[in-house]
Amino acid sequence: MADNNIVGIEYNRVTNTTSTDFPGHSSNEDQSWDIEKIKNSLEVKISKLDERESNFDLVHIDTSIANALRRIMISEVPSVAAETIYVFNNTSVIQDEVLAHRIGLIPLKADPDLLTWVDTAQDEKSKYTDENTIVLTLDVTCTHNPNAPKGSTNPKELYRNSHVYAKDLKFEPQGKQVELFKGNPVTAADPNILIAKLRPGQEISLRAHCILGVGSDHAKFSPVATASYRLMPVIDIKQPISGEQAKRFQRCFPPGVVDIDSKGEAYVKDARRDTVSREVLRHEEFDGKVKLGRKRDHFIFNIESTGGMPPEEIFIKSIRLLKSKADYLRNCPIGQ
């Protein structure tokens, strides 16, 4: 591996970080654009994938591409969230605007591809339709529980509807949404998010209009809780480290990073687990025996969805958006 592909990690500084006008350019490498070369070298390695989280490696791409995908996932992939709240009655201790804010931040399980964008140029009465808006209602009244256990001090036992949760938001399909969302109603991604606490006589009655949006307009539209990446750590053992010294060397890294073989020598078992704390560089006995770094073109991505859509769908949509941006720039007339 070429040295210019490694970002050096030293005790008090980071080396080989200089950027150029041409990403990844080096005097001894051919950096001419070649789509076949990229196809053959690009690697995607998935290490974890479930309904909420994905962890995978993107190998042999430039930092500008990796960071563009991360930023697009956070701020440009559309999702659905409550935009306008019509409060009919709210006698709880929570002010209307705070209540509306809390509802707006609740992630919704709704396919954004089933909705169109709201035409903001139209007036309030006509801009919301069954093609671009999902309606959720919340009607909750707190009352005494006549069957509460004697001597109980638990509000959930003493009262009915003492706690209002995201699951209390009810989907009301409008027009063709009856068929469009048949068998797959819009629900809160996390049903047990607490919205408010009520006591007997208090009531909340409201109607929420949910629309498409992007994270750059408001964080509530961002489909990811986190979207981040880090460079693959590199631990290069320059000289053999054995015996008791190997055990001390092993303790300088998180569990699972360094192991000791049958000969008693330390070796790198899984550099991916390393957090690059540089603890090993604090000890003089390892001076010159190990070199730390990070691979410049090996990105470990972690995507945590808010629950509105699977993480792999968010990533694929970010690629499509990046492609559409590239197509726009390529076809845009010079000077515009």
Side-chain angles (χ1 to χ4, degrees):
M1 181 180 295
D3 288 340
N4 60 20
N5 198 38
I6 301 295
V7 177
I9 307 294
E10 298 185 5
Y11 176 73
N12 58 356
R13 62 176 182 159
V14 180
T15 62
N16 198 24
T17 60
T18 304
S19 180
T20 68
D21 291 336
F22 303 94
H25 175 73
S26 175
S27 59
N28 59 354
E29 293 182 11
D30 178 16
Q31 295 292 332
S32 59
W33 173 258
D34 187 345
I35 187 64
E36 292 303 321
K37 180 181 177 181
I38 293 176
K39 286 181 179 179
N40 294 331
S41 62
L42 178 64
E43 296 180 44
V44 180
K45 304 174 183 177
I46 301 174
S47 56
K48 178 182 180 181
L49 180 61
D50 57 34
E51 186 178 349
R52 285 296 185 94
E53 189 174 2
S54 174
N55 190 279
F56 60 92
D57 294 15
L58 277 183
V59 190
H60 303 312
I61 65 169
D62 187 74
T63 305
S64 58
I65 303 298
N67 196 44
L69 293 172
R70 180 190 68 86
R71 292 172 65 94
I72 290 172
M73 283 187 280
I74 293 172
S75 62
E76 296 187 46
V77 174
S79 69
V80 180
E83 173 69 6
T84 305
I85 309 294
Y86 300 95
V87 180
F88 304 126
N89 192 13
N90 175 24
T91 56
S92 71
V93 296
I94 300 180
Q95 300 95 327
D96 290 356
E97 58 271 25
V98 177
L99 182 63
H101 180 69
R102 292 176 68 86
I103 292 174
L105 292 175
I106 295 174
L108 301 175
K109 278 190 174 181
D111 186 354
D113 295 334
L114 298 179
L115 296 180
T116 60
W117 291 91
V118 172
D119 185 0
T120 55
Q122 296 188 22
D123 58 39
E124 189 77 13
K125 293 182 179 179
S126 57
K127 68 179 181 180
Y128 295 124
T129 70
D130 60 348
E131 294 182 348
N132 59 34
T133 304
I134 288 172
V135 177
L136 300 177
T137 60
L138 179 62
D139 292 291
V140 181
T141 302
C142 182
T143 59
H144 285 280
N145 180 13
N147 300 318
K150 188 175 181 180
S152 175
T153 58
N154 185 353
K156 293 184 179 181
E157 294 177 343
L158 292 174
Y159 317 121
R160 291 173 176 170
N161 298 324
S162 63
H163 292 64
V164 183
Y165 294 102
K167 61 186 175 184
D168 295 318
L169 289 166
K170 305 302 180 184
F171 173 49
E172 283 194 359
Q174 308 292 314
K176 62 181 181 183
Q177 292 179 359
V178 175
E179 289 298 324
L180 193 62
F181 292 94
K182 188 176 183 180
N184 189 28
V186 176
T187 59
D190 295 293
N192 293 322
I193 294 176
L194 182 65
I195 298 177
K197 292 183 179 181
L198 302 180
R199 289 300 178 262
Q202 294 181 341
E203 176 185 356
I204 295 177
S205 178
L206 56 82
R207 185 183 180 95
H209 283 187
C210 310
I211 64 171
L212 280 179
V214 291
S216 57
D217 288 336
H218 196 289
K220 67 184 178 182
F221 290 115
S222 182
V224 294
T226 59
S228 62
Y229 64 76
R230 61 189 177 97
L231 297 179
M232 172 65 83
V234 176
I235 305 170
D236 187 8
I237 299 177
K238 297 294 186 180
Q239 301 176 23
I241 303 173
S242 59
E244 289 299 317
Q245 191 180 50
K247 294 180 181 179
R248 292 193 296 272
F249 182 77
Q250 185 183 33
R251 289 195 293 269
C252 290
F253 298 91
V257 175
V258 173
D259 206 351
I260 301 174
D261 61 19
S262 58
K263 298 179 182 179
E265 290 188 1
Y267 71 95
V268 179
K269 182 179 180 181
D270 187 2
R272 183 190 182 91
R273 293 173 176 261
D274 189 31
T275 57
V276 196
S277 67
R278 296 190 272 198
E279 170 66 20
V280 69
L281 301 180
R282 296 178 63 248
H283 303 275
E284 291 184 6
E285 63 178 314
F286 301 124
D287 188 24
K289 293 186 176 182
V290 62
K291 188 171 183 180
L292 303 181
R294 289 193 169 189
K295 292 184 181 179
R296 189 187 297 277
D297 63 349
H298 189 145
F299 301 89
I300 303 173
F301 265 88
N302 190 78
I303 303 172
E304 183 182 345
S305 170
T306 59
M309 63 185 89
E312 67 270 23
E313 183 179 343
I314 298 173
F315 181 67
I316 291 172
K317 286 184 175 181
S318 71
I319 295 175
R320 290 174 182 166
L321 283 168
L322 182 59
K323 180 179 181 296
S324 67
K325 289 173 179 288
D327 289 339
Y328 173 78
L329 287 175
R330 184 173 58 184
N331 299 323
C332 184
I334 298 175
Q336 292 188 7

